[in-house]
Amino acid sequence: EHPFTMASQSWRCSLCDYALNPYDVLNCDMCGESNQPSPSAENQISPSSPQAHSGSTGARSQHSRTRVEVEPQLPHGDKCGYDVEIFVDQNRVSDHICSICQCVFNEPMCIGCDMGHVFCKQCLDEFFKDNESKPCPLDQQLVQKTNVTPIKYVERLINSLQVVCPLQYQQTAVSNDSNGNDDVKVNIDCQWRGSLCDMHTHTREQCGLFVLQCSFCGVEEQRRHIGKHIDMCDERPIPCPLHCSESIKQRLMDAHIDDECIANQLLAMGFPDNYVKRAIKVYKKNYGQLNSRSVEVVTEIIIRLQEKDQSKRKIKNNNSDEPEQTIPGNKKEDENSEKQDKISVAYAMKEAGNKLFKEDKFQLALQEYEKAVSVISNIDETKEIINLRCALANNLALVSHKMKNWSDVVLWCQCALANDDKNLKAYFRWSEALLMTKEYEQAIQVLYRGKQVVSDSSRLDEQMQRIESLRYRINDQIGFSNLVR
Protein backbone atom coordinates (compact mmCIF):
# COMPACT_ATOMS: atom_id res chain seq x y z
CA GLU A 1 0.00 0.00 0.00
CA HIS A 2 1.31 3.41 -0.99
CA PRO A 3 0.78 6.72 0.81
CA PHE A 4 -0.63 9.39 -1.49
CA THR A 5 -1.81 12.92 -0.77
CA MET A 6 -3.91 15.12 -2.98
CA ALA A 7 -2.69 18.72 -3.37
CA SER A 8 -3.87 21.20 -6.00
CA GLN A 9 -5.77 18.49 -7.89
CA SER A 10 -2.57 16.33 -8.19
CA TRP A 11 -1.59 13.12 -6.48
CA ARG A 12 1.88 13.21 -4.93
CA CYS A 13 3.91 10.64 -3.10
CA SER A 14 3.98 11.58 0.63
CA LEU A 15 7.59 10.42 0.94
CA CYS A 16 9.39 11.62 -2.18
CA ASP A 17 6.87 14.29 -3.23
CA TYR A 18 6.91 12.89 -6.77
CA ALA A 19 3.81 13.89 -8.77
CA LEU A 20 1.84 10.90 -10.02
CA ASN A 21 -0.74 10.98 -12.77
CA PRO A 22 -4.27 11.38 -11.34
CA TYR A 23 -6.19 10.42 -14.50
CA ASP A 24 -5.66 6.70 -14.74
CA VAL A 25 -4.43 3.75 -12.64
CA LEU A 26 -1.35 5.09 -10.81
CA ASN A 27 1.98 3.30 -11.11
CA CYS A 28 4.75 4.01 -8.65
CA ASP A 29 7.89 4.93 -10.57
CA MET A 30 10.06 3.28 -7.88
CA CYS A 31 8.51 -0.13 -7.36
CA GLY A 32 6.10 -0.39 -10.32
CA GLU A 33 3.05 -1.17 -8.19
CA SER A 34 -0.27 0.42 -9.14
CA ASN A 35 -2.78 2.06 -6.89
CA GLN A 36 -6.11 3.81 -7.45
CA PRO A 37 -6.43 6.59 -4.84
CA SER A 38 -9.78 7.61 -3.45
CA PRO A 39 -10.34 11.33 -2.91
CA SER A 40 -12.99 10.58 -0.31
CA ALA A 41 -10.31 9.57 2.21
CA GLU A 42 -9.76 13.19 3.22
CA ASN A 43 -6.97 13.69 0.67
CA GLN A 44 -4.81 11.05 2.45
CA ILE A 45 -4.56 7.30 2.03
CA SER A 46 -2.94 6.16 5.26
CA PRO A 47 -0.21 3.61 4.59
CA SER A 48 -0.08 0.49 6.64
CA SER A 49 3.68 0.45 6.13
CA PRO A 50 5.23 3.73 4.93
CA GLN A 51 8.58 2.00 4.47
CA ALA A 52 6.99 -0.29 1.87
CA HIS A 53 6.89 2.54 -0.65
CA SER A 54 10.18 4.21 0.18
CA GLY A 55 12.14 1.03 -0.49
CA SER A 56 15.87 1.25 -0.53
CA THR A 57 18.06 4.24 -1.12
CA GLY A 58 19.17 2.67 -4.37
CA ALA A 59 15.62 2.53 -5.59
CA ARG A 60 15.12 6.17 -4.67
CA SER A 61 18.32 7.22 -6.43
CA GLN A 62 17.42 5.11 -9.45
CA HIS A 63 14.05 6.87 -9.55
CA SER A 64 15.77 10.24 -9.44
CA ARG A 65 18.35 9.22 -12.02
CA THR A 66 15.61 8.02 -14.38
CA ARG A 67 13.82 11.35 -14.11
CA VAL A 68 16.98 13.22 -15.05
CA GLU A 69 18.09 11.03 -17.91
CA VAL A 70 14.75 10.69 -19.73
CA GLU A 71 14.04 13.88 -21.69
CA PRO A 72 10.99 13.18 -23.86
CA GLN A 73 10.88 14.77 -27.30
CA LEU A 74 7.55 16.61 -27.47
CA PRO A 75 5.99 17.23 -30.89
CA HIS A 76 5.49 20.83 -31.91
CA GLY A 77 1.84 21.86 -31.69
CA ASP A 78 -0.22 25.00 -32.13
CA LYS A 79 -2.34 26.27 -29.27
CA CYS A 80 -5.20 23.82 -29.15
CA GLY A 81 -6.07 24.43 -25.52
CA TYR A 82 -6.90 27.50 -23.43
CA ASP A 83 -4.35 30.15 -22.47
CA VAL A 84 -3.49 30.05 -18.79
CA GLU A 85 -3.75 33.84 -18.52
CA ILE A 86 -7.52 33.85 -19.08
CA PHE A 87 -8.18 31.93 -15.86
CA VAL A 88 -8.86 33.95 -12.72
CA ASP A 89 -7.18 31.42 -10.41
CA GLN A 90 -4.21 30.23 -12.46
CA ASN A 91 -2.94 27.99 -9.66
CA ARG A 92 -5.92 25.68 -10.07
CA VAL A 93 -5.02 24.94 -13.68
CA SER A 94 -1.27 24.62 -13.27
CA ASP A 95 -1.58 20.81 -13.11
CA HIS A 96 -3.89 20.61 -16.15
CA ILE A 97 -1.47 21.74 -18.83
CA CYS A 98 -1.14 19.88 -22.13
CA SER A 99 2.52 18.98 -22.73
CA ILE A 100 2.15 19.46 -26.51
CA CYS A 101 0.53 22.89 -26.82
CA GLN A 102 1.49 24.13 -23.31
CA CYS A 103 -2.08 25.28 -22.69
CA VAL A 104 -4.89 24.23 -20.39
CA PHE A 105 -6.66 21.09 -21.59
CA ASN A 106 -9.36 21.54 -24.20
CA GLU A 107 -11.33 18.27 -24.32
CA PRO A 108 -8.73 16.26 -22.33
CA MET A 109 -8.00 12.78 -23.68
CA CYS A 110 -5.93 10.00 -22.11
CA ILE A 111 -3.45 8.65 -24.67
CA GLY A 112 -3.64 5.12 -23.27
CA CYS A 113 -0.08 4.60 -22.02
CA ASP A 114 0.66 2.95 -18.65
CA MET A 115 1.27 6.37 -17.08
CA GLY A 116 -2.08 7.64 -18.36
CA HIS A 117 -0.73 10.88 -19.83
CA VAL A 118 -3.37 13.37 -20.92
CA PHE A 119 -3.36 15.79 -23.84
CA CYS A 120 -5.86 17.96 -25.75
CA LYS A 121 -8.06 16.16 -28.23
CA GLN A 122 -6.96 18.36 -31.13
CA CYS A 123 -3.30 17.87 -30.20
CA LEU A 124 -3.73 14.10 -30.31
CA ASP A 125 -5.60 14.28 -33.60
CA GLU A 126 -2.66 16.14 -35.09
CA PHE A 127 -0.21 13.78 -33.34
CA PHE A 128 -1.80 10.65 -34.84
CA LYS A 129 -2.43 12.27 -38.22
CA ASP A 130 0.31 10.44 -40.14
CA ASN A 131 0.38 7.23 -38.12
CA GLU A 132 -2.18 5.66 -35.76
CA SER A 133 0.53 3.82 -33.79
CA LYS A 134 3.19 6.05 -32.24
CA PRO A 135 5.22 6.33 -29.01
CA CYS A 136 3.78 8.48 -26.24
CA PRO A 137 5.28 12.01 -26.37
CA LEU A 138 6.28 11.78 -22.67
CA ASP A 139 7.40 8.22 -21.88
CA GLN A 140 7.96 6.85 -25.44
CA GLN A 141 5.64 3.89 -24.81
CA LEU A 142 3.99 2.66 -28.00
CA VAL A 143 0.30 3.62 -28.00
CA GLN A 144 -2.59 3.21 -30.40
CA LYS A 145 -5.02 5.92 -31.49
CA THR A 146 -7.90 3.53 -30.83
CA ASN A 147 -6.95 3.44 -27.11
CA VAL A 148 -7.45 7.20 -26.65
CA THR A 149 -10.30 7.89 -24.19
CA PRO A 150 -11.89 11.14 -22.95
CA ILE A 151 -11.45 12.29 -19.34
CA LYS A 152 -14.87 13.76 -18.66
CA TYR A 153 -14.53 14.72 -15.00
CA VAL A 154 -11.40 16.79 -15.73
CA GLU A 155 -13.23 18.49 -18.60
CA ARG A 156 -16.14 19.34 -16.28
CA LEU A 157 -13.71 20.67 -13.68
CA ILE A 158 -11.98 22.97 -16.20
CA ASN A 159 -15.28 24.17 -17.66
CA SER A 160 -16.49 25.22 -14.22
CA LEU A 161 -13.49 27.51 -13.56
CA GLN A 162 -13.85 31.31 -13.74
CA VAL A 163 -12.25 33.03 -16.73
CA VAL A 164 -12.07 36.50 -18.22
CA CYS A 165 -12.75 37.43 -21.83
CA PRO A 166 -9.90 36.02 -23.96
CA LEU A 167 -10.29 38.69 -26.65
CA GLN A 168 -8.96 41.48 -24.46
CA TYR A 169 -5.47 39.97 -24.76
CA GLN A 170 -5.68 39.89 -28.55
CA GLN A 171 -6.95 43.40 -29.21
CA THR A 172 -4.89 46.59 -29.07
CA ALA A 173 -5.69 50.21 -29.77
CA VAL A 174 -3.53 53.16 -30.82
CA SER A 175 -3.52 56.20 -28.52
CA ASN A 176 -1.24 59.06 -27.47
CA ASP A 177 1.02 58.76 -24.46
CA SER A 178 1.68 61.49 -21.91
CA ASN A 179 4.47 62.95 -24.06
CA GLY A 180 2.22 63.26 -27.13
CA ASN A 181 3.82 60.39 -29.04
CA ASP A 182 1.58 58.44 -31.40
CA ASP A 183 1.29 54.73 -32.01
CA VAL A 184 1.34 53.65 -28.39
CA LYS A 185 -0.44 50.29 -28.08
CA VAL A 186 -2.71 49.83 -25.09
CA ASN A 187 -4.94 46.91 -24.13
CA ILE A 188 -8.67 47.13 -24.73
CA ASP A 189 -10.47 45.74 -21.70
CA CYS A 190 -13.63 43.64 -21.68
CA GLN A 191 -15.19 43.52 -18.24
CA TRP A 192 -16.88 40.14 -18.73
CA ARG A 193 -16.11 37.35 -16.26
CA GLY A 194 -17.77 33.96 -16.05
CA SER A 195 -17.30 30.21 -16.31
CA LEU A 196 -15.32 28.70 -19.17
CA CYS A 197 -18.39 26.91 -20.53
CA ASP A 198 -20.08 30.32 -21.06
CA MET A 199 -17.01 31.93 -22.67
CA HIS A 200 -17.83 30.86 -26.25
CA THR A 201 -21.36 32.25 -26.02
CA HIS A 202 -19.99 35.55 -24.75
CA THR A 203 -17.29 35.93 -27.41
CA ARG A 204 -19.44 34.90 -30.39
CA GLU A 205 -22.73 36.56 -29.46
CA GLN A 206 -22.03 39.41 -27.02
CA CYS A 207 -18.43 40.61 -26.86
CA GLY A 208 -17.76 43.84 -28.71
CA LEU A 209 -14.19 42.74 -29.46
CA PHE A 210 -15.27 39.73 -31.50
CA VAL A 211 -14.41 40.16 -35.19
CA LEU A 212 -17.29 39.90 -37.66
CA GLN A 213 -17.21 39.94 -41.44
CA CYS A 214 -19.23 42.44 -43.44
CA SER A 215 -21.73 40.48 -45.52
CA PHE A 216 -21.48 43.02 -48.36
CA CYS A 217 -17.75 43.70 -48.86
CA GLY A 218 -16.11 40.98 -46.74
CA VAL A 219 -14.11 43.41 -44.56
CA GLU A 220 -13.57 42.22 -40.99
CA GLU A 221 -14.48 44.58 -38.15
CA GLN A 222 -15.09 44.25 -34.42
CA ARG A 223 -18.69 43.79 -33.38
CA ARG A 224 -18.74 47.24 -31.73
CA HIS A 225 -17.72 48.85 -35.07
CA ILE A 226 -19.50 46.61 -37.59
CA GLY A 227 -22.76 48.58 -37.48
CA LYS A 228 -21.05 51.84 -38.38
CA HIS A 229 -19.08 50.10 -41.12
CA ILE A 230 -22.23 48.60 -42.68
CA ASP A 231 -23.90 52.02 -42.72
CA MET A 232 -20.94 53.43 -44.66
CA CYS A 233 -20.15 50.33 -46.74
CA ASP A 234 -19.94 51.15 -50.46
CA GLU A 235 -21.12 47.65 -51.39
CA ARG A 236 -24.34 47.79 -49.34
CA PRO A 237 -27.50 48.08 -51.50
CA ILE A 238 -29.75 50.99 -50.57
CA PRO A 239 -33.10 52.08 -52.05
CA CYS A 240 -33.04 54.77 -54.69
CA PRO A 241 -33.88 58.17 -53.14
CA LEU A 242 -36.07 59.00 -56.17
CA HIS A 243 -38.46 56.13 -55.34
CA CYS A 244 -37.78 54.00 -58.39
CA SER A 245 -37.97 51.00 -56.03
CA GLU A 246 -34.55 49.76 -57.08
CA SER A 247 -31.81 48.81 -54.58
CA ILE A 248 -28.39 49.94 -55.77
CA LYS A 249 -24.94 49.71 -54.17
CA GLN A 250 -23.96 52.98 -52.52
CA ARG A 251 -20.90 53.47 -54.72
CA LEU A 252 -23.06 53.10 -57.87
CA MET A 253 -25.97 55.27 -56.73
CA ASP A 254 -24.83 58.49 -58.46
CA ALA A 255 -24.31 56.68 -61.76
CA HIS A 256 -27.71 54.99 -61.39
CA ILE A 257 -29.53 58.29 -60.87
CA ASP A 258 -27.79 59.95 -63.82
CA ASP A 259 -28.01 57.11 -66.35
CA GLU A 260 -30.50 54.40 -65.35
CA CYS A 261 -33.07 55.70 -62.87
CA ILE A 262 -36.51 55.53 -64.46
CA ALA A 263 -37.99 57.86 -61.85
CA ASN A 264 -35.38 60.48 -62.71
CA GLN A 265 -36.24 60.18 -66.42
CA LEU A 266 -39.96 60.59 -65.72
CA LEU A 267 -39.36 63.57 -63.47
CA ALA A 268 -37.25 65.13 -66.23
CA MET A 269 -40.29 64.76 -68.55
CA GLY A 270 -42.27 66.98 -66.18
CA PHE A 271 -44.48 64.41 -64.46
CA PRO A 272 -45.32 65.16 -60.80
CA ASP A 273 -43.44 63.19 -58.17
CA ASN A 274 -46.59 61.70 -56.60
CA TYR A 275 -47.77 60.31 -59.96
CA VAL A 276 -44.33 58.85 -60.68
CA LYS A 277 -44.33 57.02 -57.33
CA ARG A 278 -47.89 55.73 -57.85
CA ALA A 279 -47.20 54.54 -61.39
CA ILE A 280 -44.01 52.71 -60.43
CA LYS A 281 -45.82 51.05 -57.52
CA VAL A 282 -48.66 49.91 -59.81
CA TYR A 283 -46.14 48.68 -62.40
CA LYS A 284 -44.12 46.60 -59.95
CA LYS A 285 -47.23 45.14 -58.35
CA ASN A 286 -48.70 43.91 -61.63
CA TYR A 287 -45.68 43.61 -63.87
CA GLY A 288 -42.52 42.88 -61.89
CA GLN A 289 -39.08 44.44 -61.85
CA LEU A 290 -38.28 47.56 -63.85
CA ASN A 291 -36.14 47.28 -66.96
CA SER A 292 -34.95 49.41 -69.86
CA ARG A 293 -38.34 49.17 -71.61
CA SER A 294 -40.35 50.16 -68.53
CA VAL A 295 -40.26 53.93 -69.22
CA GLU A 296 -42.90 53.75 -71.95
CA VAL A 297 -45.18 51.50 -69.90
CA VAL A 298 -44.89 53.64 -66.76
CA THR A 299 -45.51 56.78 -68.87
CA GLU A 300 -48.79 55.31 -70.15
CA ILE A 301 -49.77 54.40 -66.58
CA ILE A 302 -49.11 57.97 -65.40
CA ILE A 303 -51.23 59.39 -68.23
CA ARG A 304 -54.14 57.08 -67.40
CA LEU A 305 -53.84 57.85 -63.68
CA GLN A 306 -53.98 61.57 -64.43
CA GLU A 307 -57.01 61.12 -66.68
CA LYS A 308 -58.77 59.09 -64.02
CA ASP A 309 -58.10 61.72 -61.34
CA GLN A 310 -59.33 64.50 -63.65
CA SER A 311 -62.59 62.64 -64.31
CA LYS A 312 -63.06 62.16 -60.57
CA ARG A 313 -62.53 65.88 -59.96
CA LYS A 314 -65.11 66.76 -62.65
CA ILE A 315 -67.67 64.47 -61.09
CA LYS A 316 -66.94 65.97 -57.69
CA ASN A 317 -67.37 69.52 -59.01
CA ASN A 318 -70.68 68.64 -60.65
CA ASN A 319 -71.96 67.22 -57.38
CA SER A 320 -70.50 69.97 -55.20
CA ASP A 321 -73.93 70.90 -53.79
CA GLU A 322 -74.38 67.47 -52.25
CA PRO A 323 -72.67 66.74 -48.92
CA GLU A 324 -69.50 64.71 -49.35
CA GLN A 325 -69.63 61.28 -47.72
CA THR A 326 -66.42 59.34 -47.31
CA ILE A 327 -66.13 55.93 -45.74
CA PRO A 328 -62.59 55.29 -44.50
CA GLY A 329 -61.24 51.92 -45.49
CA ASN A 330 -64.09 51.17 -47.88
CA LYS A 331 -63.31 47.71 -49.24
CA LYS A 332 -65.36 48.18 -52.40
CA GLU A 333 -63.55 51.40 -53.29
CA ASP A 334 -60.17 49.72 -52.71
CA GLU A 335 -61.14 46.85 -55.00
CA ASN A 336 -62.29 49.26 -57.72
CA SER A 337 -59.06 51.23 -57.41
CA GLU A 338 -56.98 48.06 -57.73
CA LYS A 339 -59.04 47.00 -60.73
CA GLN A 340 -58.50 50.35 -62.45
CA ASP A 341 -54.77 50.10 -61.75
CA LYS A 342 -54.61 46.71 -63.46
CA ILE A 343 -56.53 48.00 -66.46
CA SER A 344 -54.15 50.95 -66.71
CA VAL A 345 -51.17 48.61 -66.64
CA ALA A 346 -52.71 46.39 -69.33
CA TYR A 347 -53.34 49.37 -71.63
CA ALA A 348 -49.80 50.61 -71.03
CA MET A 349 -48.36 47.20 -71.91
CA LYS A 350 -50.52 47.07 -75.04
CA GLU A 351 -49.18 50.43 -76.20
CA ALA A 352 -45.62 49.33 -75.47
CA GLY A 353 -46.21 46.16 -77.49
CA ASN A 354 -47.59 48.19 -80.42
CA LYS A 355 -44.44 50.33 -80.51
CA LEU A 356 -42.22 47.26 -80.43
CA PHE A 357 -44.28 45.67 -83.24
CA LYS A 358 -43.79 48.73 -85.44
CA GLU A 359 -40.04 48.40 -84.84
CA ASP A 360 -40.21 44.74 -86.01
CA LYS A 361 -39.27 43.51 -82.51
CA PHE A 362 -41.84 40.74 -82.59
CA GLN A 363 -40.52 38.64 -79.71
CA LEU A 364 -40.48 41.60 -77.31
CA ALA A 365 -43.92 42.68 -78.50
CA LEU A 366 -45.21 39.16 -77.89
CA GLN A 367 -43.94 39.29 -74.31
CA GLU A 368 -45.64 42.63 -73.64
CA TYR A 369 -48.98 41.39 -74.99
CA GLU A 370 -48.82 38.16 -72.98
CA LYS A 371 -48.08 40.04 -69.76
CA ALA A 372 -50.98 42.38 -70.43
CA VAL A 373 -53.27 39.36 -70.82
CA SER A 374 -52.03 37.90 -67.50
CA VAL A 375 -52.63 41.19 -65.66
CA ILE A 376 -56.36 41.26 -66.49
CA SER A 377 -56.92 37.50 -66.36
CA ASN A 378 -58.61 37.56 -62.91
CA ILE A 379 -60.71 40.71 -63.33
CA ASP A 380 -64.49 40.48 -63.51
CA GLU A 381 -65.70 40.69 -67.09
CA THR A 382 -67.06 44.04 -68.19
CA LYS A 383 -67.48 45.44 -71.68
CA GLU A 384 -64.16 47.26 -71.40
CA ILE A 385 -62.34 44.12 -70.22
CA ILE A 386 -63.89 41.98 -72.98
CA ASN A 387 -62.88 44.47 -75.68
CA LEU A 388 -59.37 44.72 -74.24
CA ARG A 389 -58.94 40.95 -74.12
CA CYS A 390 -60.19 40.60 -77.69
CA ALA A 391 -57.77 43.30 -78.91
CA LEU A 392 -54.85 41.67 -77.10
CA ALA A 393 -55.71 38.25 -78.54
CA ASN A 394 -55.86 39.72 -82.09
CA ASN A 395 -52.48 41.38 -81.55
CA LEU A 396 -50.98 38.13 -80.29
CA ALA A 397 -52.37 36.31 -83.33
CA LEU A 398 -50.83 38.93 -85.62
CA VAL A 399 -47.41 38.70 -83.93
CA SER A 400 -47.54 34.90 -84.05
CA HIS A 401 -48.39 35.17 -87.78
CA LYS A 402 -45.32 37.32 -88.33
CA MET A 403 -43.22 34.78 -86.44
CA LYS A 404 -44.88 31.91 -88.42
CA ASN A 405 -46.13 30.13 -85.31
CA TRP A 406 -49.30 28.85 -86.96
CA SER A 407 -50.58 26.81 -84.00
CA ASP A 408 -50.36 29.92 -81.80
CA VAL A 409 -52.23 31.92 -84.43
CA VAL A 410 -55.11 29.45 -84.29
CA LEU A 411 -55.10 29.49 -80.48
CA TRP A 412 -55.21 33.29 -80.15
CA CYS A 413 -57.89 33.60 -82.86
CA GLN A 414 -60.06 31.19 -80.90
CA CYS A 415 -59.46 33.28 -77.74
CA ALA A 416 -60.50 36.44 -79.60
CA LEU A 417 -63.68 34.77 -80.87
CA ALA A 418 -64.46 33.56 -77.34
CA ASN A 419 -64.72 37.23 -76.34
CA ASP A 420 -66.31 38.47 -79.59
CA ASP A 421 -67.77 35.89 -81.97
CA LYS A 422 -68.23 38.54 -84.72
CA ASN A 423 -64.59 39.55 -84.94
CA LEU A 424 -63.65 39.67 -88.62
CA LYS A 425 -59.87 39.76 -88.05
CA ALA A 426 -59.95 36.57 -85.98
CA TYR A 427 -61.75 34.60 -88.71
CA PHE A 428 -59.44 35.91 -91.39
CA ARG A 429 -56.19 35.16 -89.52
CA TRP A 430 -57.46 31.75 -88.49
CA SER A 431 -58.06 30.86 -92.12
CA GLU A 432 -54.62 32.22 -93.03
CA ALA A 433 -52.97 29.89 -90.48
CA LEU A 434 -54.90 26.89 -91.82
CA LEU A 435 -54.01 27.88 -95.38
CA MET A 436 -50.28 27.94 -94.51
CA THR A 437 -50.57 24.44 -93.01
CA LYS A 438 -52.46 23.30 -96.20
CA GLU A 439 -55.65 22.47 -94.32
CA TYR A 440 -57.89 23.88 -97.04
CA GLU A 441 -61.15 22.21 -96.06
CA GLN A 442 -60.95 23.48 -92.47
CA ALA A 443 -60.01 26.97 -93.67
CA ILE A 444 -63.12 27.08 -95.89
CA GLN A 445 -65.27 25.91 -92.96
CA VAL A 446 -63.88 28.71 -90.74
CA LEU A 447 -64.61 31.30 -93.42
CA TYR A 448 -68.11 29.93 -93.97
CA ARG A 449 -68.77 30.15 -90.23
CA GLY A 450 -67.55 33.76 -90.21
CA LYS A 451 -69.77 34.76 -93.14
CA GLN A 452 -72.83 33.72 -91.15
CA VAL A 453 -72.14 36.09 -88.22
CA VAL A 454 -70.14 38.98 -89.73
CA SER A 455 -72.17 41.77 -91.26
CA ASP A 456 -69.62 42.79 -93.91
CA SER A 457 -68.15 39.55 -95.21
CA SER A 458 -66.64 40.81 -98.46
CA ARG A 459 -63.11 40.24 -97.21
CA LEU A 460 -64.01 36.72 -96.12
CA ASP A 461 -65.52 36.02 -99.58
CA GLU A 462 -62.30 37.05 -101.26
CA GLN A 463 -60.30 34.83 -98.92
CA MET A 464 -62.64 31.89 -99.60
CA GLN A 465 -62.29 32.31 -103.42
CA ARG A 466 -58.52 32.44 -103.07
CA ILE A 467 -58.39 29.25 -101.00
CA GLU A 468 -60.75 27.39 -103.34
CA SER A 469 -58.79 28.35 -106.45
CA LEU A 470 -55.58 27.31 -104.73
CA ARG A 471 -57.13 24.01 -103.70
CA TYR A 472 -58.38 23.27 -107.27
CA ARG A 473 -54.97 24.11 -108.70
CA ILE A 474 -53.23 21.77 -106.27
CA ASN A 475 -55.74 19.00 -106.97
CA ASP A 476 -55.16 19.41 -110.73
CA GLN A 477 -51.43 19.18 -110.21
CA ILE A 478 -51.87 16.03 -108.14
CA GLY A 479 -54.17 14.50 -110.79
CA PHE A 480 -51.71 15.34 -113.59
CA SER A 481 -48.78 13.84 -111.70
CA ASN A 482 -50.80 10.68 -111.07
CA LEU A 483 -51.69 10.51 -114.78
CA VAL A 484 -48.02 10.87 -115.77
CA ARG A 485 -47.03 8.24 -113.23
Side-chain angles (χ1 to χ4, degrees), residues 184-208:
V184 178
K185 293 185 177 181
V186 297
N187 288 335
I188 301 175
D189 293 332
C190 175
Q191 302 302 322
W192 180 85
R193 177 178 292 190
S195 61
L196 180 64
C197 59
D198 297 330
M199 183 182 68
H200 297 291
T201 303
H202 163 72
T203 54
R204 294 189 176 276
E205 300 180 7
Q206 302 171 359
C207 184

Side-chain angles (χ1 to χ4, degrees), residues 222-465:
Q222 294 178 355
R223 177 180 278 113
R224 55 181 181 165
H225 298 148
I226 193 67
K228 183 178 180 180
H229 167 77
I230 290 177
D231 292 339
M232 303 297 294
C233 182
D234 291 337
E235 299 296 323
R236 182 173 71 95
I238 58 175
C240 177
L242 297 180
H243 314 292
C244 73
S245 301
E246 294 292 326
S247 294
I248 308 296
K249 295 180 180 180
Q250 291 198 67
R251 62 182 178 84
L252 301 176
M253 183 57 68
D254 293 339
H256 164 74
I257 294 175
D258 295 337
D259 303 331
E260 302 175 359
C261 183
I262 293 177
N264 190 35
Q265 298 177 32
L266 295 171
L267 292 172
M269 295 178 186
F271 292 114
D273 180 62
N274 59 332
Y275 280 102
V276 172
K277 291 172 61 176
R278 285 175 58 190
I280 291 176
K281 183 178 180 181
V282 171
Y283 180 94
K284 289 181 68 67
K285 182 178 180 181
N286 298 280
Y287 198 18
Q289 294 295 326
L290 297 167
N291 52 55
S292 58
R293 304 191 307 272
S294 302
V295 177
E296 297 177 356
V297 179
V298 177
T299 301
E300 294 293 334
I301 296 174
I302 292 175
I303 294 173
R304 292 189 65 85
L305 290 175
Q306 289 177 333
E307 292 175 353
K308 184 174 69 174
D309 290 346
Q310 289 177 0
S311 62
K312 286 183 178 180
R313 283 194 293 268
K314 288 181 181 179
I315 295 174
K316 184 177 179 180
N317 294 332
N318 294 334
N319 301 329
S320 59
D321 296 337
E322 299 179 1
E324 183 177 356
Q325 296 180 358
T326 58
I327 303 176
N330 193 328
K331 184 177 180 180
K332 188 173 181 180
E333 289 185 0
D334 294 341
E335 291 178 354
N336 291 335
S337 178
E338 183 177 357
K339 178 180 177 181
Q340 290 299 323
D341 290 342
K342 289 185 176 182
I343 294 174
S344 301
V345 171
Y347 274 113
M349 293 176 184
K350 178 174 174 290
E351 292 299 325
N354 293 344
K355 292 180 181 179
L356 292 170
F357 180 82
K358 292 176 182 178
E359 297 173 1
D360 293 338
K361 298 178 180 179
F362 301 127
Q363 184 63 41
L364 297 177
L366 182 71
Q367 295 176 3
E368 296 293 332
Y369 292 141
E370 287 179 342
K371 290 177 180 178
V373 171
S374 64
V375 167
I376 59 173
S377 59
N378 297 324
I379 299 179
D380 296 336
E381 292 189 356
T382 60
K383 186 175 181 179
E384 182 182 12
I385 296 298
I386 291 173
N387 293 336
L388 181 56
R389 286 176 180 169
C390 184
L392 289 170
N394 273 324
N395 291 353
L396 284 164
L398 179 59
V399 174
S400 300
H401 187 281
K402 291 290 185 181
M403 300 174 68
K404 298 182 180 181
N405 295 329
W406 309 119
S407 59
D408 291 346
V409 173
V410 173
L411 175 64
W412 289 116
C413 288
Q414 292 174 348
C415 291
L417 293 173
N419 290 280
D420 181 10
D421 60 349
K422 298 180 180 180
N423 192 283
L424 175 64
K425 293 181 180 179
Y427 286 114
F428 185 84
R429 288 172 183 151
W430 191 355
S431 66
E432 279 284 327
L434 295 174
L435 176 61
M436 299 306 297
T437 56
K438 299 182 180 181
E439 300 178 12
Y440 305 114
E441 294 294 338
Q442 295 183 18
I444 292 175
Q445 292 177 7
V446 169
L447 292 172
Y448 184 75
R449 174 184 164 187
K451 286 176 62 177
Q452 293 178 339
V453 295
V454 176
S455 57
D456 185 8
S457 60
S458 57
R459 190 176 177 187
L460 298 181
D461 291 335
E462 294 175 0
Q463 180 74 350
M464 185 178 293
Q465 292 176 5

Side-chain angles (χ1 to χ4, degrees), residues 12-27:
R12 296 183 179 274
C13 175
S14 60
L15 299 180
C16 67
D17 199 37
Y18 176 64
L20 297 174
N21 194 292
Y23 306 112
D24 203 348
V25 176
L26 304 179
N27 296 81

Side-chain angles (χ1 to χ4, degrees), residues 53-153:
H53 173 77
S54 61
S56 63
T57 307
R60 188 184 298 255
S61 61
Q62 177 67 25
H63 163 74
S64 176
R65 184 166 58 252
T66 302
R67 292 287 295 172
V68 172
E69 292 176 356
V70 176
E71 296 181 358
Q73 298 296 322
L74 298 178
H76 173 72
D78 296 330
K79 288 189 176 182
C80 304
Y82 303 105
D83 290 330
V84 178
E85 60 187 1
I86 70 172
F87 289 88
V88 177
D89 188 357
Q90 298 182 7
N91 293 328
R92 296 192 63 184
V93 297
S94 59
D95 295 320
H96 304 296
I97 304 298
C98 175
S99 300
I100 297 179
C101 65
Q102 301 300 317
C103 295
V104 179
F105 293 132
N106 182 8
E107 296 183 84
M109 308 287 287
C110 178
I111 199 171
C113 63
D114 293 340
M115 294 297 295
H117 294 128
V118 180
F119 306 94
C120 298
K121 180 180 182 299
Q122 189 175 347
C123 293
L124 288 183
D125 291 341
E126 188 67 23
F127 178 69
F128 286 109
K129 186 176 182 180
D130 54 347
N131 193 350
E132 294 190 358
S133 179
K134 297 181 72 173
C136 174
L138 292 178
D139 60 13
Q140 305 302 309
Q141 179 184 348
L142 188 65
V143 291
Q144 302 288 336
K145 184 177 180 180
T146 55
N147 295 333
V148 174
T149 55
I151 311 296
K152 291 297 183 182
Y153 75 92

